[in-house]
Every structure is written in C-alpha cells, then in structure tokens.
C-alpha cells in the first residue's frame, strides 16, 4: 500500500517544496479564498480550509458521489476536482440550500419522506437534485433516477429519495406536522434528528476533528499470511518531519480485542505474524501531512509470506495450516439444533429436496468510512467516534489501555451507516492510546480501501440442506448443515454460527430438525456482524428447497409456504412455543393476489420467444429479535426539570434506522405528552445508561420497551404528585405541570419540588431484558422473546444471452408487530431490499481485487425497482405498544425471492450468489446442454 499523492495541504513532504497558491472562488454566493496547492482536492478545501463539512467524503475516488457539489451549477465530485479548477467559479454546497435557517422545499420533502436515514449520502443527493430541478422543474421518475445516478446510498433503497424529489417538484407538497399528545405511536413523524442531516450541520466521525489534532494512520499487511519483522522505527519514521510516534504492539498495554471476553484473538497491532490482508502492523502518529506522506515501503517492516488458508472448506482439511496455533483444526465454533429424528423423518417423506448453496464475503459499504478522534482529559480519555455500540467501545478501549471503563467516555458522532460493521472496534483503541500517550487530540479516518480491507464482512457460507414433506405439502423434516468462513479473527462468528441453526427451518413448522452450524478460521478478512447475522444465507437455502418441494408436488409456491407457516401456538425447532405475534400467514395472504397477478403477467410476457424472460419468485423469513439465548437488556431514563423540560437519556445509537425518533415516540405516548416536548441525550456513555448494541433489530423492541417503561414511570410520578387517576391527562406549561383528572385540575409548581444538582425534580427509569432461556446441548430452549416475519415477491427480467438480471418490482409484506413510525418501517424494508439485491446479484468482496466502490458494486438508484411495502401488524404483547423490529428482516427474503424468480424465468437454480452474469450464463449453458 503506498501513500496517497493528490494532496499536500501546503507542501509536498517528499520534495519539501511548498506549492501553495491563493485561489479565489465563491461558495454559496460568498467570495472565499483558499491558500493551498492547486492540486488539493476541492472536497478537502471545502471541509478543512472552509469548515464546510456538509460535503462528505466517502471514497475520494469519484465512485460514491457523497462529495457532490455544484460547480457553476453542474454537479461534480468535489473529491476529483483540483482546487485550481474552482478558481473564479461558483461552488454550491449543501450548506447553501436552507435560507435564513429555513429548510427549502426539497429539504422539507426529504424530511417528510424519510429520504435521509444515516444522512451520509444526503448532501450529495440534495445537491444533485437541486441541479436536476433547476434544469427540469417537473422531472419524471426516470429523470430523477438519471439526475441522482451518480450518488450512492446504502441505507434507503433510493425509493423515498425519488419520491421526495418528485414531491418537491409537485404542486402541493404535504406539510410537515407533529402529532398531538398521545398520538405519536403510529404517526409518520419526520426524523427528530433529521434537520442537521439536511443542512450539512450534522457531525460525523470525521467532521469535528480539532485543528490541532494529530492524525493516526495504520500500516496494514499486504499479505494474507506472513511473519512480520519490524526493524528500528526510531531512525526511519520518527526522524520524518511531523511524525510524532510510531506505535507497535509493544506500546499497547493489552494488545487484544474481540467481541467475546474468552475470544480476544485479534491483536490491536501485529505480534510477529499477520493473518489477513489488512491486519494492522504499526500505527503512525503525527501531522496529517506526515502520516499520509510516509510510504509504507519506506518503513523497516519485512514480511515473510506464509502458506495461507482460503475458504472454510480448505481450513477444515486435516493438514491445513493453522491460522491460530492454539485453535486446532481452525475450528472456531460448532453448534446445532436437534429435534426428533430428522433422518428417519426424511426417509418417510413423500417428496424430498436437497441442495448445496454458497455465498461469498459481502462488504457493508456504509458511505461513511470508520472515523473518530480522541483526547486525553486528565486521567480519562474521550472518544468522538462513529459507532453502533458505545458501551462495548468504552469497555474495549479501557481494556486495551489498561484503564477502568469509567476512565473512558464515548461520545458517538452521527453514524453514516453501520449495518453491523461498526459493532467491532476500528479506530477507537489506537486513537485513544495515541491521545493517552501524546497528551494531544488524535484523529483517525479510514480511507475507503482501508475501510473495505479492514472492516468485517458477511460470512461466506456453504450450506447443504435437505427438506422433506408429506403428500399434502406439510413439512416433516429438515436436515441442515452450514459451514462459515469467519476469516482471520472470531469477531461475531460465534453469534452467526449460533443463530443460523435456530433459523434453519425458515419460518415454518417442522417436527423433525437436525441443523448444524460451524465456523472456521481462514486467512480471509474477519467476518462479523452484517444485517441478518447469517440468516440471509440460510434463507437462500431453505427457500430454494421450498420451491423444489412445491415443484415436486405440483403445488403453488406461495401455497406451500402458507400451509407450513409458523403460527401462534406452534412449536419451533428449538422447542419454543410461539405464544403470539407470528404473522407470516397474514403477510402471505396479503401478497396472494399480487402473486397471481404477477404470475399471469409473466406468462403473458413470456409468450414471445426471445432472450428476455420474465420470472416471479417468493421468499419468506423469520428473525429472532435481539441476542440469541443471552441476556439482552436496555435501560432508559427520562427526567423533568424545574423549568418543565423533559430529557430522555437514550443510550441507543441511531445509525440511520431511526431509533432516536422511535424511542421518543414510544416514550412520549407512555408519558402522555407531545413528542416534540422531549429533548434527548443520545449515546454519550457519561450520561446515558447501557441500552446495548444497535444490532439484531433490537432497539425498537428492547430499548423501546425500556423507553415505554421510563415514560410510564415518570407519568406515574407526576400523577402521584397530583394524586390523580391513571387516565388523567398531563400538560407541560413552563415551570408547572397541569394535570386534568376528570373535572379536577391540578397545577404542580415544579419550583416547589425538591431538585437534584441539575434541577431535575422528577424522573422515570425503565429497563427491559427480553425473556429468553439458554439453549441446551441439543439446541432446545427459547432463544428469543419474539420473532419478526415477512415475505417478498420479486419480479425480474433475465437476459438469457447476457446473463443479466433486472429486478422489475418487489412486493414486501412484513409483520412488525406494530409500526411505531410507518415511514421509517418502510425505509428499513426498502433499504434492506436494496442490500438484498446486492447480495443476490452484485456483491462479492475479493481481498486485493474489490477494495473500492469502483470494483465492488453496490446497487445504484437505477438498480432498485419499484417496491410496494405492506405493513402487517400482528401485535407482540411484550413489545412497546406491540412493536417488534424490522432492521434486518427487510433484507432476508429478497435474495431468495430474486433467485426464485430467476429460476421461474429460466429453469436455472442458482446455487452460488451473487448471480453474476458469468455465473448465470454458465448455468444457462449447462441447463441447455442437459439431455
Ligand atoms: S468522495 Fe468523492 S465520489 Fe466518493
Ligand atoms: S441515507 Fe443514504 S447512505 Fe445512509
């Protein structure tokens, strides 16, 4: 890996020549002048020299469009524009859109439609849409997709962005509104944290770095497996101007990180060996210019390549090299679920289906790469960082530095997408250590290739499965065997290997089940948490085999799913009785008319011969909400102060999915006040209680219940003060609370109540730990308190000559228990579907080959078709106002539905995803060649 060259920030350290010029232009109508080298990126000049950090940098390579600005009215990627090209010209950024603090029409439409989730792409989208609407005030949907085609979004699935632009261009855009007291749950409330994402004011991990911060750059292994020898760094590195320190493993008090306390297998910095391409070796700390300019090749680091293990299959062979010498057979973990005698039951089945399915490494590709900065404050260290899990970060950072957790404070920045990838620590330990050792603030911002090289991936899986049913199509047995490549380190591998066998049957009632899951270490990138924790891979297998069974019986594919759908009262493969809220059947029933219409349309489309064939597929899912068979608590607190201000101390990090809004909606209704009366402190570990990780679709269900209880507790405290009945109303009126209890009106003067040192007079606290039980040796128990269910229909066109697949339409029906905010529920489902399209058709991470967003393709605005979301509300009695979760479910059935549609169109059963054109073409040729 060599250092970047298109920068310099005032000088070229390699030749020591200053090449800075004063370059004048206008930004948002105001004249500015930047003294910098002519080749400085315009994006860097805007962000670093002018402080306009609304313009985001997602790749620095012209691939993501996050940095889009208007140059003389035309959109450009500002990361690819040399500053000199802006001389004398007009630049417009997101900061110029709002006027006098008021959002413009387009921004308001984005807010109303939920078109900004994490918000990292939003400035680029808004700017691109601005150009479009100037040129074409009434654009068609196709024109919108064209005009915004250069900007990638990883969260939304684009549909709400298109709708927002069309709405902004319409005659009478709908107004924004706030629901009244008691009506927040179920309302399409705009994101409470949405405005800063639309104005460019939001602060992500790289946006608030102090001017005097040192920078840290990690030098990473270019080899999959090697012995590494580090020479004297004193002479070659620290003599370099601007370099302050070079950290090695010897500088790290406790040099291991990992998710599980008994599996801290990942060195912070290499200890003599590297195990994957991207393994951290040393960390350079100095001025930004110095750490960027230092070439890796100029450091005295020698690698002696060792034999590498690729793929779980190879890792499990008897003589495979060991990735970790203390892990025999490279086996990380193995587990399973056994219920009845599946082999015997399978033998007795009328129809059987079997198959072997493969998936590959998939990259999260959030638009905001890992970023943050740390500072030492006395005997504490504080981190402002993009994360999904502040308390785990705090504890892990403290452990690495040899401190106690109370000595570390995590202040989450806005998070520009996570999807599981920001559940592992990235910049945290080393930035904190460098700040601790130097006493200066230290920032670390990953470049896109570094983010892709170093961040955990979706586990590649090889799944062999057999399903059997009786003559009526009732499932009798499932035998399922999944092998996962967990890469060089454990990360969340045990979680995936444990969750998958539980979900191996799919959302169906099956009396006899044998499901195994295991994970092997390899010299691939660490595989960790990624939206679904292995369930999307499992769904590809069980849904393909459900189609096989239907074919074997001559039964309709939707019908066989409906027949076997888990319902309330049914028993799962782990022996858990589903007490309530098992809504797959209503999802399928809602889809049924669309299914038959789509099949008829496809039949008509395929009457004509030709290379283009239309297909319709269906996929179903279930997903256990929260941790598997583990305690999974969340705690929330809401306070009322003397001035009548409500503050929700909310430890749940919002990574774009909307928990900041959802939890306020729940808490407001539980308390009985309008949601806009509640201010929040989110995620700061000094101020909030542990709400657990933002993962496993758990925040609405788990933290939502805690927020509901906190709101109810404060309500009870207020009603006690007024001696009022439970159904009394509460109204905040400045320094007093008015309680109306029938005819009685009581005014509580808050100034007369005893206050703590911060003026808090009353408070409510709530906790919730979903009731689960551990799984026994046969995987029997109740691993989750509740499950989400869903089903999707995909309509695709397959070009049988090119091997390309074009999604035409997706219908998605999901049982979410209760939709706290339907707009956000739709947004999660649509975003999940976009990632499911990527999983099915496009995305394959290959170390050394697809480490950027040019070679690694994620769905663009043109790749996501029309989506119809049908929300099914089969209320969960344990959930807040009946809600469950929807973060992951939207993704799970998409790939199976698309693969089913490909098969319907062509007869080819795809067994390896992504179904890239060359794979599909080969399968089509093979099918043609069959006798
Ligand atoms: S940051 Fe400029 S295109 Fe990605
Ligand atoms: S909202 Fe588009 S990348 Fe997150």
């Amino acid at each position: 890996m060599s250092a970047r060259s298109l920068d310099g920030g005032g000088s070229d350290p390699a030749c020591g020549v200053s090449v800075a010029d004063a370059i004048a232009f206008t930004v948002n109508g105001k004249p500015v002048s930047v003294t910098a080298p002519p080749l400085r990126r315009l994006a860097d000049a805007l962000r670093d020299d002018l402080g306009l950090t609304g313009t985001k940098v997602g790749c620095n390579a012209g691939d993501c469009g996050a940095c889009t600005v208007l140059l003389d009215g035309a959109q450009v990627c500002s990361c690819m524009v040399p500053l000199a090209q802006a001389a004398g010209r007009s630049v417009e950024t997101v900061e110029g859109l709002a006027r006098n603090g008021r959002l413009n029409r387009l921004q308001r439409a984005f807010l109303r439609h939920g078109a900004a989730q994490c918000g990292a792409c939003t400035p680029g989208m808004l700017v691109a849409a601005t150009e479009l609407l100037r040129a074409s005030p009434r654009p068609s949907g196709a024109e919108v997709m064209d005009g915004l085609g250069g900007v990638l979004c990883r969260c939304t699935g684009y549909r709400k962005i298109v709708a927002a632009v069309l709405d902004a261009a319409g005659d009478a855009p709908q107004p924004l509104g706030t629901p009244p007291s008691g009506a927040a749950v179920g309302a399409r409330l705009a994101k409470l944290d949405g405005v800063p994402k639309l104005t460019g004011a939001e602060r992500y991990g790289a946006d608030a770095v102090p001017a005097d911060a040192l920078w840290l750059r990690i030098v990473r292994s270019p080899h999959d497996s090697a012995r590494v020898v580090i020479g004297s760094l004193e002479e070659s590195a620290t003599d370099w101007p601007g370099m302050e320190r070079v950290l090695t493993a010897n500088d790290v008090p406790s040099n291991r990180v990992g998710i599980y306390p008994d599996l801290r297998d990942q060195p912070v910095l290499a200890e003599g060996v590297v195990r994957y391409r991207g393994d951290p070796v040393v960390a350079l700390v100095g001025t930004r210019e110095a750490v960027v300019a230092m070439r890796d090749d100029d450091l005295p680091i020698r690698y002696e390549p060792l034999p590498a293990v690729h793929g779980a299959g190879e890792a499990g062979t008897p003589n495979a090299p060991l990735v970790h010498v203390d892990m025999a057979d490279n086996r990380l973990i193995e587990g399973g679920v056994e219920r009845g005698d599946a082999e015997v039951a399978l033998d007795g089945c009328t129809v059987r289906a079997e198959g072997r399915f493969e998936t590959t490494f998939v990259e999260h590709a959030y638009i905001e790469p890992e970023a943050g900065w740390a500072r030492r404050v006395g005997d504490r260290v504080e981190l402002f960082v993009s994360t999904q899990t502040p308390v785990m970060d705090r504890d892990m950072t403290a452990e690495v530095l040899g401190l106690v957790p109370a000595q570390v404070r995590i202040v989450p920045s806005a998070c520009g997408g996570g999807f599981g990838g920001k559940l592992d620590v990235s910049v945290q330990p080393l930035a904190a250590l460098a700040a601790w050792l130097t006493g200066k603030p230290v920032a670390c911002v990953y470049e896109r290739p570094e983010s892709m090289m170093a961040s955990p991936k979706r586990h590649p899986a090889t799944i062999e499965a057999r399903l059997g049913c009786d003559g009526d199509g009732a499932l009798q047995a499932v035998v399922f065997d999944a092998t996962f490549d967990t890469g060089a380190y454990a990360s969340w591998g045990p979680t995936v290997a444990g969750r998958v066998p539980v979900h191996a049957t799919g959302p169906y009632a099956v009396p006899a089940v044998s499901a195994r899951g295991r994970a092997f270490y390899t010299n691939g990138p660490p595989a960790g948490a990624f939206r679904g924790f292995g369930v999307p891979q499992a769904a590809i297998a069980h849904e393909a085999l459900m189609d096989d069974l239907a074919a074997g019986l001559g039964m309709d594919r939707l019908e066989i799913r409906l027949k076997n759908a888990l319902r309330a009262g049914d028993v799962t493969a782990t022996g858990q009785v589903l007490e309530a809220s098992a809504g797959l059947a209503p999802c399928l029933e809602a889809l049924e008319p669309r299914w038959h219409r789509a099949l008829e349309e496809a039949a008509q489309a395929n009457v004509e011969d030709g290379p283009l064939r239309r297909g319709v597929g269906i996929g179903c899912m279930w997903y256990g909400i929260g941790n598997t068979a583990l305690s999974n608590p969340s705690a929330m607190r809401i306070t009322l102060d003397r001035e009548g201000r409500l503050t929700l101390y909310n430890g749940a990090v919002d990574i774009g999915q909307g928990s900041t809004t959802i939890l306020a909606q729940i808490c407001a209704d539980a308390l009985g006040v309008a949601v806009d009366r509640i201010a929040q402190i989110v995620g700061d570990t000094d101020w909030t209680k542990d709400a657990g990780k933002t993962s496993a679709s758990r925040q609405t269900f788990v933290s939502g219940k805690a927020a509901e209880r906190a709101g109810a507790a404060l309500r009870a405290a207020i009603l006690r003060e007024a001696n009022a009945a439970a159904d009394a109303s509460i109204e905040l009126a400045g320094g007093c609370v008015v309680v109306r209890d029938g005819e009685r009106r009581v005014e509580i003067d808050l100034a007369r109540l005893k206050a703590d040192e911060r003026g808090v007079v009353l408070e409510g606290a709530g906790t919730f730990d979903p009731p689960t039980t551990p799984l026994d040796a046969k995987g029997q128990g109740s691993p989750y308190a509740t499950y989400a269910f869903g089903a999707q229909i995909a309509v695709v066109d397959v070009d049988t000559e090119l091997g390309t697949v074009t999604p035409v339409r997706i219908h998605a029906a999901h049982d979410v228990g209760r939709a706290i905010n339907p707009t956000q529920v739709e947004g999660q489902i649509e975003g999940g579907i976009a990632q499911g399209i990527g999983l099915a058709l496009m995305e394959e991470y290959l170390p050394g080959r697809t480490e950027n967003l040019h070679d690694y393709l994620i769905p663009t605005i043109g790749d996501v078709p029309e989506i119809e979301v049908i929300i099914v509300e089969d209320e969960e009695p344990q959930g807040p106002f009946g809600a469950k979760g929807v973060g992951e479910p939207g993704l799970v059935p998409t790939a199976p539905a698309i693969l089913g549609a490909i098969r319907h169109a062509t007869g080819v059963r795809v067994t390896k995803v992504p179904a890239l054109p060359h794979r599909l073409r080969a399968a089509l040729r093979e099918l043609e060649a069959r006798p």
Side-chain angles (χ1 to χ4, degrees):
M1 188 170 70
S2 62
R4 298 169 301 174
S5 58
L6 186 64
D7 202 337
S11 65
D12 178 350
C15 61
V17 177
S18 174
V19 288
D21 289 321
I23 296 168
F25 51 106
T26 68
V27 177
N28 301 324
K30 294 196 183 111
V32 297
S33 175
V34 175
T35 301
L39 286 182
R40 183 162 173 74
R41 298 171 194 267
L42 175 58
D44 290 346
L46 291 168
R47 290 176 53 82
D48 301 335
D49 298 303
L50 299 172
L52 297 171
T53 54
T55 296
K56 303 302 172 202
V57 173
C59 70
N60 253 344
D63 296 323
C64 75
C67 63
T68 299
V69 300
L70 301 185
L71 186 60
D72 285 346
Q75 55 177 296
V76 293
C77 288
S78 60
C79 73
M80 300 303 287
V81 174
L83 178 60
Q85 276 188 18
R89 301 172 75 182
S90 147
V91 176
E92 293 170 80
T93 71
V94 68
E95 286 92 345
L97 298 181
R99 294 282 175 217
N100 305 319
R102 187 173 148 70
L103 300 184
N104 73 12
R105 191 178 170 103
L106 179 64
Q107 291 168 307
R108 289 201 303 279
F110 264 59
L111 192 57
R112 186 168 47 252
H113 285 269
Q117 289 188 17
C118 81
C121 71
T122 307
M125 288 288 185
L126 287 168
V127 167
T130 299
E131 184 200 16
L132 170 74
L133 292 174
R134 282 180 191 159
S136 178
R138 294 298 177 96
S140 65
E143 283 175 307
V144 174
M145 289 165 72
D146 215 31
L148 276 56
V151 188
L152 294 175
C153 175
R154 192 55 157 168
C155 301
T156 63
Y158 301 102
R159 303 309 304 176
K160 292 199 178 296
I161 292 172
V162 175
V165 177
L166 291 173
D167 185 9
D171 287 325
Q174 297 297 309
L176 285 161
T178 308
S181 173
V185 168
R188 289 182 177 272
L189 178 66
K191 272 174 107 74
L192 296 174
D193 56 348
V195 171
K197 297 178 195 301
L198 299 162
T199 60
E202 188 69 286
R203 292 288 176 262
Y204 295 81
D207 290 344
V209 175
D212 63 343
L214 297 172
W215 283 68
L216 182 147
R217 183 170 74 81
I218 299 167
V219 176
R220 296 180 179 277
S221 166
H223 300 280
D224 294 342
S225 175
R227 196 167 289 115
V228 55
V229 181
I230 301 171
S232 169
L233 291 160
E234 286 301 313
E235 294 162 22
S236 54
T238 50
D239 282 355
W240 193 274
M243 195 68 72
E244 192 118 341
R245 277 194 83 134
V246 179
L247 303 176
T248 69
N250 293 334
D251 296 302
V252 188
S254 175
N255 192 41
R256 291 296 175 111
V257 292
I259 302 303
Y260 290 83
D262 58 338
L263 265 172
R264 302 275 201 249
D265 60 2
Q266 189 161 3
V268 178
L269 291 170
E271 299 164 339
V273 294
V274 287
R275 297 185 178 87
Y276 76 100
R277 181 185 154 79
D279 224 351
V281 179
V282 300
L284 310 178
V285 184
T287 65
R288 188 174 187 180
E289 294 76 20
V291 301
V292 167
M294 170 65 80
R295 289 172 51 85
D296 291 7
D297 293 347
D298 291 340
L299 291 162
I301 300 172
R302 198 175 77 246
Y303 298 96
E304 297 166 7
L306 296 168
V309 183
H310 294 114
E314 193 181 319
T317 55
N319 295 319
L322 293 183
V323 178
H324 297 265
V325 287
D326 54 344
M327 298 301 277
D329 308 331
N330 289 317
R331 189 178 300 248
L332 167 64
I333 195 163
E334 177 151 13
V337 168
E338 301 289 335
R339 185 163 185 80
D341 190 329
E343 291 291 354
V344 169
L346 203 56
D347 280 347
C349 285
T350 309
V351 180
R352 285 179 287 274
E354 64 181 292
R356 184 175 192 276
F357 304 87
E358 276 182 77
T359 71
T360 58
F361 285 116
V362 183
E363 157 67 22
H364 297 85
Y366 22 75
I367 298 302
E368 181 210 24
E370 294 76 358
W373 65 276
R375 67 177 174 190
R376 181 171 181 168
V377 182
D379 67 347
R380 300 186 79 211
V381 63
E382 298 182 346
L383 275 145
F384 179 78
V385 69
S386 182
T387 180
Q388 296 181 235
T389 175
V391 171
M392 277 181 73
D393 286 0
R394 180 196 66 188
D395 295 353
M396 195 76 264
T397 301
E399 190 175 314
V400 168
L401 269 63
L403 305 176
V404 296
Q407 285 179 276
V408 178
R409 177 185 184 189
I410 303 291
V411 182
S413 69
C415 179
F419 318 115
K422 291 176 183 167
L423 288 169
D424 295 62
V425 288
S426 57
V427 305
Q428 295 89 329
L430 284 170
L433 177 64
W436 185 259
L437 293 175
T438 63
K440 298 175 186 169
V442 176
C444 183
V445 177
Y446 286 5
E447 295 278 340
R448 175 59 58 181
E450 180 178 21
S451 171
M452 296 185 74
M453 191 190 280
S455 64
K457 304 284 171 281
R458 183 182 294 288
H459 283 74
T462 302
I463 297 172
E464 295 180 359
R466 289 173 287 153
L467 267 62
C469 65
D470 66 17
D472 294 328
L475 283 169
Q476 300 300 315
V478 167
V479 176
F480 180 100
D481 191 275
T483 302
F484 294 98
D485 176 350
T486 205
Y489 300 107
S491 182
W492 294 86
T495 312
V496 169
R499 181 177 277 267
V500 166
V502 175
H503 290 80
T505 59
Y508 310 115
V510 189
V513 177
S514 173
R516 307 292 306 167
R518 66 190 66 77
F520 286 96
Y521 286 111
T522 69
N523 291 111
F530 191 168
R531 210 169 189 171
F533 282 107
V535 177
Q537 294 95 307
I540 286 171
H542 61 64
E543 291 304 280
L545 298 182
M546 288 299 282
D547 284 352
D548 281 353
L549 292 181
L553 288 160
M555 193 170 178
D556 178 79
R557 286 175 282 159
L558 185 146
E559 201 55 43
I560 194 170
R561 289 167 166 88
L562 186 55
K563 181 177 186 67
N564 289 286
L566 277 165
R567 292 169 163 85
D570 282 347
V571 181
T572 71
T574 70
Q576 180 176 5
V577 178
L578 298 179
E579 304 287 352
S581 192
L584 177 60
C587 290
L588 287 166
E589 283 156 5
L591 289 176
E592 201 160 7
R594 294 157 174 88
W595 171 249
H596 292 299
R597 259 200 318 274
L599 289 172
E600 282 164 26
E601 282 168 18
Q604 281 168 18
N606 292 335
V607 166
E608 298 287 323
D609 273 348
L612 215 58
R613 314 306 298 160
R614 176 154 294 189
V616 185
I618 185 165
C620 293
M621 60 74 57
W622 68 324
Y623 190 80
I625 303 295
N627 294 355
T628 307
L630 289 173
S631 174
N632 187 23
S634 175
M636 293 278 150
R637 175 169 172 257
I638 183 166
T639 60
L640 176 65
D641 70 13
R642 268 203 184 109
E643 277 72 45
R645 289 178 301 223
L646 291 166
T647 305
L648 176 63
Y649 292 86
N650 168 7
V653 176
D654 193 328
I655 60 172
Q657 91 285 18
S659 56
T660 297
T661 308
I662 297 284
L663 298 185
Q665 287 179 267
I666 291 168
C667 191
D669 276 13
L671 173 54
V673 300
V675 65
D676 58 359
R677 302 304 302 261
I678 298 178
Q680 294 192 58
I681 291 176
V682 180
D684 184 328
T685 56
D686 270 11
W687 287 96
T688 62
K689 293 174 184 287
D690 186 1
K693 307 171 294 294
T694 295
S695 73
S697 302
R698 61 181 290 285
Q699 291 297 19
T700 296
F701 179 60
V702 185
S703 292
K705 191 70 186 177
E708 183 189 43
R709 288 178 170 171
L714 178 55
R715 177 180 174 78
I718 292 170
L719 296 183
R720 260 196 313 275
E721 286 294 328
N723 197 20
D727 61 349
S729 71
I730 292 172
E731 189 187 324
L732 297 169
C736 74
V737 177
V738 178
V739 178
R740 288 192 174 79
D741 184 10
E743 298 298 305
R744 209 161 66 89
R745 181 182 186 278
V746 181
E747 242 182 62
I748 306 171
D749 181 358
L750 298 174
R752 295 177 58 187
L753 299 183
K754 188 162 176 262
D756 71 7
E757 68 283 1
R758 293 194 318 282
V760 171
V761 291
L762 292 171
E763 70 173 73
T767 61
F768 181 55
D769 191 359
T772 61
T773 63
L775 296 176
D776 67 15
K778 291 197 157 193
Q780 297 298 293
S782 297
Y784 310 101
T786 190
Y787 297 79
F789 290 83
Q792 294 179 9
I793 295 170
V795 180
V796 306
D797 283 339
V798 182
D799 187 317
T800 54
E801 285 176 357
L802 299 175
T804 53
V805 179
T806 306
V808 174
R809 200 166 67 245
I810 308 269
H811 303 275
H814 284 263
D815 164 28
V816 299
R818 174 91 184 272
I820 302 294
N821 186 323
T823 301
Q824 297 205 18
V825 167
E826 290 162 359
Q828 286 303 295
I829 293 169
E830 290 170 4
I833 286 170
Q835 292 187 359
I837 291 170
L839 173 67
L841 300 177
M842 309 169 81
E843 298 186 35
E844 180 167 9
Y845 177 77
L846 300 165
R849 287 171 56 192
T850 59
E851 289 168 352
N852 56 61
L853 293 174
H854 184 72
D855 297 308
Y856 186 90
L857 299 180
I858 66 172
T860 66
I861 200 167
D863 294 316
V864 180
E866 180 194 331
I867 296 171
E868 181 195 19
V869 174
I870 303 160
I871 297 175
V872 171
E873 295 183 304
D874 187 347
E875 292 196 5
E876 165 54 57
Q878 303 173 90
F881 295 94
K884 298 191 280 191
V886 71
E888 269 130 324
L891 182 150
V892 179
T894 309
I898 289 173
L899 300 179
I902 294 171
R903 185 176 182 186
H904 180 235
T906 64
V908 166
R909 184 170 82 171
V910 174
T911 56
K912 178 165 184 176
V913 293
L916 296 170
H918 72 276
R919 287 193 183 124
L920 188 51
R921 263 200 322 271
L924 284 160
R925 298 297 90 88
E926 193 187 314
L927 187 70
E928 280 167 16
R930 275 193 210 152

